[in-house]
Structure formats: C-alpha cells, structure tokens
Amino acid sequence: MCPFSQTPAGDHNAASAALPESIVREERAQLDFSHSMSYGDYLQLDAILTAQKPLSPAHDEMLFIVQHQTSELWMKLMLHELRAAIDRIANPDTGTRAEAFKMLARVSRIMEQLVSAWNVLATMTPPEYTAMRPYLASSSGFQSYQYRAIEFSLGNKNAAMLKPHEHRPDLLAQVRTAYEAPSLYDVSLQLLAKEGLHIPASHLERDWTQPYSESEAVKEAWLVVYRDPQKYWDLYQLGEKLTDIEDAFRLWRFRHVTTVERVIGFKRGTGGTGGVSYLRRMLDVVLFPEIWKLRTDL
C-alpha cells in the first residue's frame, strides 16, 4: 500500500494524476492568462531562459553558462542589498540600523548560495571543460563588473580593475561609483565615531579610492564595543554582521580557487591571469582587519 494515497502501489500513478485536477477545481485556480499577467510574464522568463547560447557543441557548456548567469543574478541582489545597507548606515534618515543589519545578513546568505554554486560547477571534469574552453576566447569571470563593484563596496579598491570595463562607459560608470564611494567599512567607522568612539581623522575623511590601512586606534575602538556589548549593542551587532560577511566572502573565494584548480589545474585563466596562482593571492586580502585582530585581545 502507498502510505500517502492509501491506494495499492500499482495504482499510485493514477491516483496522483487525478489529485491535481481535483485540487485545481476545488481551489478555483486561474487557468486562462490570455488577458492577464502570468508567472512567466512577471519573471520575464522568455528573456531569461533564452539567454543561454552555447558556442561549442560540448554538452557541458550549458552548465557553465547557467552557473555563471545565476551567480550574476545573485550578485545583482547582493549589490542591491549592499548599497541600501551602506546608505542606511551613512544616512540615518534613509532607514533604520535594524534594516541595514537585516540587509547585511541577507548579503551573507547570498554568498552562501554562491559558494554552493561552485559545487555544481565542480562536477565538470577537465576533459569536459577542455572541450569548450577554446570557445570562451578571452572572456573571464575576472571581467565581471558586478563582482568588481562588490569588492569595491567591501573596501578592496584597486584602480587597475577599472580598465577591463573601459570599453563600456555605462558599466565603467557603475564600477567607478563604487570605487570612489566610501566602502561598507568606511561608513561603519564613521558610525562608531558618531557614537562617541575615537576613530582617527585619517580614517573618517580620506581618499576613498585608496585601499584601507589598518589602524591600532580603530582596533581599540572596536575593543571598547566588544568589551561592553550591552552598552554598544547596535555597534556590536554591526561588528558581527561584518564578520559574517567576510567569513562568507572568504569561503566564496576559497571554493572558487579549489574549483578552478580541480577543473583546469594551474593553466592560465582565459582572462590572462595566472589562474589558480592569482586566485590564491586574493585569499590573503583582509577586508575588515581590526574586526579580526580584536579577538586576540579580548
């Protein structure tokens, strides 16, 4: 007997086929969309599902395209959340700190989705990737303008990373905006200063296009927060949200490195970088150094 339908196992398919129709009738589900918006219309599925255009005869190119397209969609949402959180932290009139913290928590969860995506791509074997790699020419994830805007928003500023986007003024403008604006960490330190904690002037007003420089005074300010979380509860929460984001970002980078090494070994990347050697160097980048250093002194 089938425990769900209470019919003999052999009759399960027939019972299952009949059940949806009865539910549709009972629920009065709408079936005619000739004059109203459907699910596919709302999500623009025609555009999305016809955007996969493999260039090679290789079966696995579809996996490669879908993985990168969905990652770009997640990054679009991540930027949406990051920009809004930065705005709320920097400008209290635009929203509450609680809203900003929720957005930052969502950024961390999005990164978890991106980490999991590498697990799917890792099912591609070296021979399968080799069959399609020549068709990629010089295109590479290194050129993702959304990823670059995320890195800039998180404080990893590098003027050289603007150049891959110079052929598209519209995209360059978006990346440059993130490059020239205060990062998430910059506005977080400004918030600490507004709450009466000592942050050096050099870290409150500076050239935002320059990489962040670690400061002992900034670490001491964070230590004040972490030694009395009840008094500085919002700032303590902010510190932990920053920790979550960098933790997730490190995992995202690490899975990228291991997946690339698994699929292509130490070949140079299609975008001209050293491939795995370049990605491994990126693992050493620390976005919020004092947040990690303070833990040793607590």
Side-chain angles (χ1 to χ4, degrees), residues 1-9 11-12 15-16 19:
M1 297 289 289
C2 173
F4 300 106
S5 64
Q6 297 301 309
T7 60
D11 294 336
H12 178 66
S16 297
L19 185 60

Side-chain angles (χ1 to χ4, degrees), residues 131-144:
M132 55 156 285
R133 193 183 195 213
Y135 295 85
L136 299 179
S138 59
S139 63
S140 166
F142 177 80
Q143 301 146 13
S144 168

Side-chain angles (χ1 to χ4, degrees), residues 74-86 89 99-115 150-151 153-154 184 241-250 252 287-288:
W74 280 122
M75 284 191 277
K76 181 173 183 175
L77 178 58
M78 191 191 306
L79 279 169
H80 178 70
E81 301 296 337
L82 260 180
R83 289 166 178 156
I86 290 172
I89 293 171
E99 289 173 332
F101 296 165
K102 180 177 180 179
M103 292 165 181
L104 294 179
R106 187 172 289 164
V107 167
S108 297
R109 300 292 84 78
I110 293 168
M111 287 186 187
E112 290 178 3
Q113 295 297 315
L114 290 165
V115 170
I150 289 168
E151 281 218 325
S153 296
L154 294 177
L184 172 62
K241 292 294 182 288
L242 294 174
T243 306
D244 289 343
I245 286 175
E246 181 149 12
D247 196 348
F249 198 49
R250 289 178 179 183
W252 183 17
L287 300 171
F288 317 129

Side-chain angles (χ1 to χ4, degrees), residues 7-282:
T7 60
D11 294 336
H12 178 66
N13 290 338
S16 297
L19 185 60
E21 184 179 347
S22 64
I23 290 176
V24 167
R25 288 199 303 270
E26 180 182 337
E27 297 296 331
R28 299 179 182 176
Q30 181 175 342
L31 300 177
D32 183 3
F33 293 94
S34 55
H35 300 290
S36 60
M37 182 176 66
S38 70
Y39 170 82
D41 297 333
Y42 174 71
L43 294 178
Q44 299 290 306
L45 290 184
D46 286 347
I48 293 173
L49 298 180
T50 57
Q52 298 74 44
K53 303 185 186 301
L55 300 178
S56 77
H59 169 83
D60 297 279
E61 190 179 355
M62 183 63 76
L63 161 62
F64 192 83
I65 293 172
V66 169
Q67 194 270 341
H68 286 84
Q69 287 182 341
T70 53
S71 292
E72 289 291 337
L73 284 172
W74 280 122
M75 284 191 277
K76 181 173 183 175
L77 178 58
M78 191 191 306
L79 279 169
H80 178 70
E81 301 296 337
L82 260 180
R83 289 166 178 156
I86 290 172
D87 188 43
R88 280 162 174 73
I89 293 171
N91 306 296
D93 292 342
T94 62
T96 67
R97 292 179 188 175
E99 289 173 332
F101 296 165
K102 180 177 180 179
M103 292 165 181
L104 294 179
R106 187 172 289 164
V107 167
S108 297
R109 300 292 84 78
I110 293 168
M111 287 186 187
E112 290 178 3
Q113 295 297 315
L114 290 165
V115 170
S116 296
W118 290 118
N119 296 334
V120 183
L121 190 62
T123 64
M124 180 181 287
T125 65
E128 290 167 347
Y129 179 68
T130 300
M132 55 156 285
R133 193 183 195 213
Y135 295 85
L136 299 179
S138 59
S139 63
S140 166
F142 177 80
Q143 301 146 13
S144 168
Y145 77 92
Q146 291 198 124
Y147 177 79
R148 200 59 57 196
I150 289 168
E151 281 218 325
F152 287 168
S153 296
L154 294 177
N156 188 21
K157 304 291 182 76
N158 184 340
M161 295 298 98
L162 294 169
K163 194 164 184 63
H165 313 291
E166 288 180 348
H167 68 294
R168 285 283 304 272
D170 54 333
L171 303 185
L172 178 62
Q174 294 184 50
V175 179
R176 187 179 291 280
T177 296
Y179 175 67
E180 295 177 350
S183 71
L184 172 62
Y185 199 48
D186 290 323
V187 299
S188 296
L189 296 186
Q190 290 173 344
L191 182 58
L192 263 66
K194 289 175 185 176
E195 293 296 317
L197 295 160
H198 173 64
I199 302 295
S202 59
H203 285 60
L204 294 174
E205 293 294 336
R206 64 184 188 86
D207 182 352
W208 305 122
T209 66
Q210 295 303 303
Y212 179 81
S213 296
E214 186 178 340
S215 164
E216 185 68 19
V218 169
K219 186 185 77 172
E220 291 300 319
W222 279 115
L223 275 169
V224 171
V225 171
Y226 272 73
R227 284 173 175 151
D228 194 352
Q230 294 303 318
K231 180 178 179 180
Y232 299 102
W233 181 250
D234 278 0
L235 300 180
Y236 175 69
Q237 287 283 89
L238 175 59
E240 287 302 283
K241 292 294 182 288
L242 294 174
T243 306
D244 289 343
I245 286 175
E246 181 149 12
D247 196 348
F249 198 49
R250 289 178 179 183
L251 288 173
W252 183 17
R253 282 174 163 167
F254 178 74
R255 286 297 291 129
H256 188 183
V257 174
T258 55
T259 302
V260 170
E261 184 173 358
R262 173 173 178 157
V263 175
I264 70 168
F266 286 85
K267 296 184 181 73
R268 294 193 68 82
T270 51
T273 69
V276 169
S277 62
Y278 169 79
L279 294 172
R280 282 186 174 173
R281 284 200 298 272
M282 295 301 99

